[in-house]
Amino acid sequence: MKWQSFFSHNLKFGQKLTRLHHTNALLFYVLSVTGILLLSSYFRLHFPSTRVWMKDIHIWIGFLSILPVLFYLPKIQRHVFTIRKRKAHKLNLFLVLVILASLIISGIFLTFQRHMPPLISSYALFIHDAATWIGLPYVIFHSITRSRWFRGLRNGNEKVNKLADQEPMIIQKRNPLLHRRTFLKLIAGIATIAMLYAIFGSWIKDMFNLNKLDLQTGNDMKPYPTPQSTLTAVDGRSGEFRYYTITEMPTFTNENWSLTIDGLVDNKLFYNWKDFIQLDRSAQVSNFHCVTGWSVYNVVWEGIPLKEFLDKAGVHANAKYVKLHSGDGVYTDSLTMSEAMMDDMMVAVLLDGELITQENGGPVRLVTPRLYGYKSVKWLTRIELIEDEHIGYWEERGYPQNAWVKGKI
Ligand SMILES: Nc1nc2c(c(=O)[nH]1)N[C@H]1C(S)=C(S)[C@@H](COP(=O)(O)O)O[C@H]1N2
Ligand SMILES: [Mo]
């Protein structure tokens, strides 16, 4: 990369293009790094507050990255003309522009997704992810094969083998694997894939739930509750949960799990696992929306409406908020009294007829279909009635207190 070119005037057309290209590449790298940190569950676990401003930085740089594209647009015609005879260059240009456009447009939607129906943000997130997983390996491969080091490697070899090159054997020309350039590119390709696998392997595993089995055995609840409802989702569940936690996942057994309802109530309630699963449950089909853009549709939850616990406990007149405590010992959130009394606020124990798994917040989690997922406290163990507003875990780190999902839920 020629750093001087960033500061010089009177550049020729080609040099200007190169400068745009390098600016674009730099921004793309910074966005990739911040973007991957945002996705990483390791980062969420160990640097939760950094995550919030990292997201802002990612968004701001994202907006900045529109500039090189805008500067490029008036030059596009001339550029395409100069490469009119090079098929590979044209294809490359087209691919890069499609990837950039997808990332920018979906990124803008994601930035403002709180003001849009969740369906749009799910699509935007899908496109943003897909464009990243195609674009990033492509860019890494491109940078390796275009780097001076790589070219040096190629030229160096060519000099050494000059003699051999003068009389190329037919087989070398025909067989792409034996052609030196292709071979080096192949190596770069393999290196890229290996590198990406090292970085994203665990993410890919999470994505495809390859490690679901060990996680499922995390909790050990006995007896296993049988569904009391036969409700099923007509179209079946669609979408995948992204498992979030800001601590190591707590592990529960029937011995160490309990639920307490206390604070400003007439009767403090306390349930151990045995008592808890004797309670009458109802079921609901609802959608689950995370404020970062993903949704899961048609989830069948079975559990006890939060309202029933509050009625049973007898809420004092001065209680204004319901504070929810996670058994992880760190995560909390709160609901206003009217939010808490909504019919679909549920203390859920079964998901699609099965015990909620450990990574999904089981054995018991709150379900808040009309409010964003950060209100839906996982590993719920305590419901406390309080008078003063409580600022929840993510709200303290920049998420809005108002978690209502806009549009069709
Ligand atoms: N204890 C606890 N509860 C939590 C969280 C968390 O990190 N810890 N993340 C919240 C957020 S932001 C979302 S979107 C949902 C995600 O639920 P899932 O991990 O089951 O997909 O859980 C919510 N409840
Ligand atoms: Mo979330």
Side-chain angles (χ1 to χ4, degrees):
M1 195 178 294
K2 291 200 183 95
W3 294 98
Q4 314 88 285
S5 76
F6 280 103
F7 307 103
S8 37
H9 299 280
N10 309 323
L11 291 179
K12 289 195 195 109
F13 182 69
Q15 291 170 317
K16 276 188 186 159
L17 279 184
T18 312
R19 179 164 67 180
L20 278 178
H21 181 74
H22 286 159
T23 315
N24 190 38
L26 266 181
L27 291 170
F28 191 89
Y29 281 127
V30 179
L31 284 170
S32 304
V33 171
T34 50
I36 283 156
L37 286 177
L38 286 174
L39 249 177
S40 144
S41 31
Y42 179 87
F43 193 68
R44 173 180 287 268
L45 178 60
H46 295 283
F47 305 94
S49 11
T50 318
R51 215 188 151 268
V52 174
W53 59 258
M54 183 76 80
K55 186 170 178 174
D56 293 337
I57 290 183
H58 185 79
I59 289 173
W60 281 109
I61 301 174
F63 276 110
L64 251 161
S65 75
I66 301 177
L67 287 177
V69 179
L70 288 183
F71 280 117
Y72 172 71
L73 285 181
K75 302 185 170 57
I76 189 166
Q77 222 178 355
R78 190 164 156 204
H79 183 210
V80 170
F81 183 76
T82 58
I83 58 170
R84 65 194 177 281
K85 286 195 181 127
R86 303 194 202 167
K87 256 199 181 145
H89 278 63
K90 276 202 288 196
L91 187 70
N92 173 62
L93 177 66
F94 178 74
L95 203 72
V96 167
L97 287 178
V98 169
I99 290 170
L100 285 182
S102 317
L103 285 170
I104 289 171
I105 295 167
S106 58
I108 292 174
F109 273 95
L110 284 173
T111 303
F112 300 107
Q113 59 105 356
R114 272 183 64 88
H115 307 281
M116 288 169 210
L119 196 62
I120 295 185
S121 48
S122 320
Y123 281 122
L125 187 67
F126 177 78
I127 292 171
H128 209 72
D129 282 354
T132 306
W133 299 124
I134 298 168
L136 188 59
Y138 188 73
V139 167
I140 293 180
F141 175 75
H142 182 82
S143 345
I144 292 179
T145 55
R146 296 292 171 94
S147 70
R148 257 184 232 166
W149 163 78
F150 188 86
R151 286 182 178 186
L153 209 66
R154 242 164 47 182
N155 295 341
N157 282 353
E158 266 161 25
K159 260 178 226 150
V160 175
N161 294 307
K162 219 170 182 170
L163 257 177
D165 267 357
Q166 283 169 348
E167 297 167 69
M169 278 163 66
I170 305 295
I171 189 169
Q172 278 188 326
K173 275 206 164 162
R174 289 260 172 89
N175 187 340
L177 271 183
L178 291 179
H179 202 280
R180 191 171 302 109
R181 281 177 190 215
T182 328
F183 182 68
L184 281 173
K185 275 198 178 168
L186 188 78
I187 301 244
I190 293 170
T192 309
I193 290 169
M195 237 159 67
L196 289 173
Y197 187 77
I199 302 172
F200 309 128
S202 64
W203 182 83
I204 293 167
K205 262 190 218 150
D206 274 356
M207 210 52 190
F208 296 104
N209 288 330
L210 294 180
N211 53 0
K212 202 161 185 171
L213 247 157
D214 5 319
L215 286 168
Q216 246 166 354
T217 55
N219 288 334
D220 183 21
M221 310 309 293
K222 288 187 190 96
Y224 196 98
T226 40
Q228 295 177 354
S229 157
T230 52
L231 185 70
T232 46
V234 183
D235 298 324
R237 166 137 70 102
S238 70
E240 292 293 329
F241 285 96
R242 297 190 177 190
Y243 303 122
Y244 286 169
T245 181
I246 44 88
T247 59
E248 295 294 336
M249 280 193 236
T251 301
F252 293 99
T253 63
N254 45 315
E255 301 292 317
N256 72 4
W257 183 87
S258 67
L259 178 69
T260 308
I261 295 100
D262 63 354
L264 304 170
V265 291
D266 296 331
N267 325 298
K268 179 176 160 176
L269 306 177
F270 178 88
Y271 300 93
N272 61 23
W273 180 249
K274 245 183 167 168
D275 301 338
F276 182 80
I277 59 167
Q278 308 271 294
L279 297 170
D280 283 337
R281 297 188 290 267
S282 54
Q284 60 166 295
V285 180
S286 55
N287 302 332
F288 189 101
H289 306 293
C290 171
V291 72
T292 59
W294 55 269
S295 299
V296 188
Y297 294 90
N298 294 326
V299 192
V300 183
W301 299 102
E302 188 179 299
I304 299 105
L306 179 59
K307 185 176 185 302
E308 281 182 23
F309 285 117
L310 300 185
D311 288 344
K312 212 185 276 182
V315 175
H316 290 178
N318 58 339
K320 300 264 159 44
Y321 297 92
V322 179
K323 180 174 174 185
L324 306 144
H325 300 252
S326 169
D328 65 15
V330 182
Y331 198 91
T332 59
D333 213 315
S334 70
L335 303 169
T336 64
M337 219 51 212
S338 59
E339 287 168 352
M341 296 302 273
M342 291 192 296
D343 291 338
D344 53 4
M345 266 311 153
M346 180 183 268
V347 177
V349 60
L350 299 175
L351 190 166
D352 288 343
E354 297 280 329
L355 199 60
I356 301 173
T357 58
Q358 182 191 29
E359 75 267 28
N360 234 176
V364 170
R365 78 177 295 168
L366 191 73
V367 174
T368 63
R370 289 174 226 217
L371 307 179
Y372 278 118
Y374 60 90
K375 290 281 177 190
S376 139
V377 173
K378 305 192 343 176
W379 308 294
L380 182 69
T381 50
R382 183 174 174 209
I383 300 168
E384 186 190 7
L385 278 293
I386 54 173
E387 186 170 359
D388 298 321
E389 185 170 28
H390 165 72
I391 310 292
Y393 184 88
W394 281 120
E395 288 90 331
E396 208 165 80
R397 291 159 180 80
Y399 281 26
Q401 276 286 85
N402 171 3
W404 284 80
V405 179
K406 289 249 167 70
K408 191 177 173 296
I409 58 158

